[in-house]
Amino acid sequence: MKRIKLWAKKLKQYLFILYFAYKDGRVPLYAKLFTAGVVAYAFSPIDLIPDFIPIIGYLDDLVFVPLGIILALKMIPQAVLADCEKKANEMMKNGKPKNWVVGTIILALWALFALWFSVTVYKLVK
């Protein structure tokens, strides 16, 4: 169990490293795009395979995200990774910053989607 927790903590650290690498100007555009996709997917509440599906529901969390992290890390220059690792370690010690504006936007988008879905279902039932 301790080994799994260590693995999960390391994955989280790699995601923060990738987050900082995405913002670094020394990273090639193709690597930035791929890295942004991996980080966004990992932090997104929406999964490719929903978690409620037995067994394969966690496949993306256990296979796709780590595979994406590995590929993204290979695309980024080592000097950038070293700098970003320092930043990630510092952020993990101090706690990650909260972006209330982005959180509010995401909640508003979900609320609009729920409203649209409710209206659509209501029209179909009516």
Side-chain angles (χ1 to χ4, degrees), residues 26-102:
R26 299 173 287 175
V27 176
L29 180 61
Y30 69 90
K32 280 186 177 200
L33 294 174
F34 186 79
T35 299
V38 170
V39 172
Y41 184 78
F43 287 132
S44 171
I46 302 169
D47 287 341
L48 183 64
I49 304 168
D51 290 342
F52 64 81
I53 298 175
I55 300 171
I56 64 168
Y58 291 103
L59 184 66
D60 59 339
D61 299 326
L62 297 174
V63 176
F64 297 143
V65 172
L67 184 61
I69 290 171
I70 290 168
L71 292 173
L73 289 171
K74 289 183 184 239
M75 294 179 191
I76 299 168
Q78 289 298 317
V80 174
L81 288 176
D83 293 344
C84 294
E85 185 174 3
K86 290 176 189 171
K87 291 178 186 176
N89 288 336
E90 185 177 316
M91 186 168 73
M92 288 180 77
K93 283 182 195 172
N94 299 332
K96 59 184 174 188
K98 293 172 178 55
N99 191 334
W100 295 104
V101 174
V102 173

Side-chain angles (χ1 to χ4, degrees), residues 98-122:
K98 293 172 178 55
N99 191 334
W100 295 104
V101 174
V102 173
T104 304
I105 292 170
I106 291 171
L107 285 174
L109 288 173
W110 275 108
L112 286 173
F113 174 75
L115 179 65
W116 170 81
F117 185 76
S118 300
V119 170
T120 304
V121 169
Y122 178 76

